[in-house]
Amino acid sequence: MTSLGKRQIHTDAFGGDCLDASPAVEIDRMDRGGWYTVMNGFDDANIFQTWDFGRIAHPGRDLSHIVLRRDGQPVAAAQLLVRRVPGIGGIALVMWGPLWRPKGRPADPADFLAIMEAMKAEYSVRRGLFLRVLPRVEDGAGEGARALSAMEALGMRHSDAKAPYRTFIMDLTRDEATIHKDLSRHWRRGLAKAEGAGLEIVEGSSPEILDAIDDLFIQTQRRKGFRAFDSRTLTKVHRALPDGMKMHAVMASHNGEPVAGVVVSLLGDTALMQNSATAEAGLPLNAAFLVHWKAMQWVKANGGKRYDLHGVNAQANPGVHLFKRGFAGKGEEERVFIGTFEAPGPMLSRLLVEGGQTVRTLAATCTAQASQMMAMAMNKGPAERADATTPSNPV
């Protein structure tokens, strides 16, 4: 740890001594419980920054944690996923971080700049890693512009390896009657039909509910001919998370059979739709409308101020885009985030990461083309109705 007026030595995760150059910066000084204590102090906390997501979803990486303190209090923090190749280099990845909106105090762009500077100094310069950061920051003239200025000042380059995250975000500070009134006409009709369809609703944090929704998601993938991610990984993360951080699931059944479900996480003040799916039998019942409405009600009742519907692509999946836009409400525009930024580090780390990235991109392109051909062969066009939403990994 470092402090104003006094520089201290710390030992990093790989056993090396480091003389900190930035004041009030801690690196690799806490365990799982300590990290969750820090996370709970931020409004922009999210599941991708949890210890258990890093450990379970990325088992081949080491976890590293950096915390910026002012007057002893954390004002910015980040979890990094680190993979090293001995003698060559490696990568340090920040998924939806750093956290820099402390609860109970205004977010300070200077803290964002300071922790980005500290991460670049530690991981890119000192450890010689390829640093890749995806901040949870919306593009625009205010906060987004300041974040972009900070990246430019640090010499961080914008990456086009993945398109910027796009989504709809519901404003839950409105009362429920206003939220309902602001739904699109299509959405209000769909919800009314689902409410009269005799669906049985169960909700909670029971792993059994999430397991059932995972089964629905697998059915949806097979029917629509896509492969987005393995939702069962998130269910494993859910089982490991502390009680106060577990996800919430809503499932609809008809005649005793599950027909639709949605899973959400609420850390900080913004909820995130994590997984959603509908069985074939749930389509004529409009079951997806009811489970999403119930999930939103739970988020609002538990203090969520915003509800991120987790990813849209109007070109690749227009049906889901229409569904989410209608749910977000009148006047709600598609949100675009600032994207991914990189500090490439030494040449060996850069070649290691970018070479592997080229191979993965080629493989993903071939897989996507094969899936599209399979869907067309099954008479499933790209504009298939929005019976399920397909959340995307942010990086």
Side-chain angles (χ1 to χ4, degrees):
M1 174 179 177
T2 62
S3 60
L4 293 174
K6 185 176 181 180
R7 302 168 72 193
Q8 299 180 358
I9 295 288
H10 77 265
T11 301
D12 66 29
F14 306 105
D17 289 335
C18 174
L19 180 62
D20 292 316
S22 301
V25 174
E26 294 178 358
I27 301 173
D28 296 329
R29 301 292 290 177
M30 61 187 60
D31 58 10
R32 176 175 175 271
W35 176 243
Y36 282 146
T37 298
V38 169
M39 277 194 68
N40 281 328
F42 287 90
D43 280 333
D44 52 345
N46 62 83
I47 196 168
F48 299 110
Q49 280 285 295
T50 62
W51 187 291
D52 294 298
F53 180 85
R55 179 176 58 85
I56 294 171
H58 296 272
R61 299 177 187 259
D62 296 312
L63 303 185
S64 184
H65 299 89
I66 182 169
V67 180
L68 176 72
R69 295 183 185 269
R70 295 193 187 280
D71 300 323
Q73 298 301 312
V75 294
Q79 173 174 281
L80 296 94
L81 307 171
V82 178
R83 175 175 290 164
R84 294 175 64 94
V85 177
I88 298 178
I91 183 171
L93 172 64
V94 184
M95 298 179 64
W96 273 17
L99 311 179
W100 63 289
R101 302 185 183 96
K103 291 181 178 178
R105 60 186 296 176
D108 187 346
D111 293 333
F112 179 87
L113 174 61
I115 195 165
M116 288 299 307
E117 185 176 22
M119 284 195 292
K120 182 178 179 183
E122 173 68 14
Y123 299 97
S124 179
V125 177
R126 196 187 79 82
R127 300 192 190 185
L129 302 173
F130 188 111
L131 175 62
R132 176 172 287 164
V133 183
L134 179 64
R136 195 180 186 185
V137 177
E138 292 179 34
D139 202 356
E143 184 178 278
R146 290 191 292 269
L148 289 171
S149 295
M151 297 296 190
E152 183 178 351
L154 293 173
M156 300 280 288
R157 70 180 191 185
H158 188 270
S159 171
D160 57 2
K162 185 175 178 67
Y165 178 67
R166 310 178 76 94
T167 191
F168 286 100
I169 299 178
M170 296 183 72
D171 174 14
L172 300 188
T173 62
R174 301 168 294 168
D175 61 75
E176 189 173 307
T178 301
I179 294 174
H180 187 277
K181 179 176 66 69
D182 286 346
L183 298 173
S184 71
R185 182 183 303 176
H186 168 71
W187 232 95
R188 290 196 303 271
R189 287 200 303 261
L191 179 58
K193 180 178 179 179
E195 290 174 330
L199 296 166
E200 303 95 38
I201 299 293
V202 294
E203 54 184 301
S205 296
S206 164
E208 288 74 22
I209 304 177
L210 275 79
D211 287 338
I213 296 174
D214 287 338
D215 291 340
L216 289 173
F217 190 74
I218 292 171
Q219 294 177 38
T220 301
Q221 287 181 308
R222 290 171 178 168
R223 185 178 72 250
K224 298 186 73 172
F226 70 84
R227 182 181 178 183
F229 69 103
D230 188 348
S231 65
R232 292 168 294 189
T233 299
L234 282 173
T235 300
K236 293 177 183 178
V237 173
H238 169 80
R239 292 174 184 270
L241 286 170
D243 286 342
M245 290 185 160
K246 289 189 182 297
M247 295 183 286
H248 184 79
V250 182
M251 185 174 69
S253 297
H254 190 252
N255 296 330
E257 292 295 324
V259 293
V262 62
V263 180
V264 300
S265 63
L266 176 58
L267 304 177
D269 64 3
T270 300
L272 181 66
M273 192 280 289
Q274 296 288 173
N275 186 21
S276 173
T278 306
E280 190 87 43
L283 300 180
L285 303 171
N286 281 3
F289 290 82
L290 186 56
V291 293
H292 277 278
W293 180 256
K294 292 289 186 181
M296 181 279 297
Q297 289 179 316
W298 178 86
V299 171
K300 183 172 174 60
N302 284 270
K305 296 180 180 178
R306 310 197 313 163
Y307 183 20
D308 184 343
L309 302 184
H310 203 169
V312 292
N313 188 320
Q315 287 72 44
N317 206 334
V320 168
H321 186 274
L322 181 65
F323 181 89
K324 293 184 178 182
R325 184 174 68 180
F327 188 28
K330 296 176 183 176
E332 183 56 65
E333 300 293 333
E334 186 176 314
R335 311 290 184 94
V336 183
F337 285 56
I338 63 174
T340 305
F341 290 82
E342 299 171 342
M347 181 60 70
L348 286 178
S349 284
R350 179 176 178 176
L351 292 174
L352 177 70
V353 173
E354 293 181 344
Q357 182 175 291
T358 299
V359 172
R360 288 192 300 272
T361 300
L362 179 61
T365 300
C366 293
T367 301
Q369 291 174 345
S371 296
Q372 186 177 20
M373 293 174 64
M374 182 180 297
M376 293 174 64
M378 297 171 63
N379 295 319
K380 302 288 187 180
E384 182 178 1
R385 61 183 293 176
D387 58 320
T389 52
T390 309
S392 60
N393 193 317
V395 291

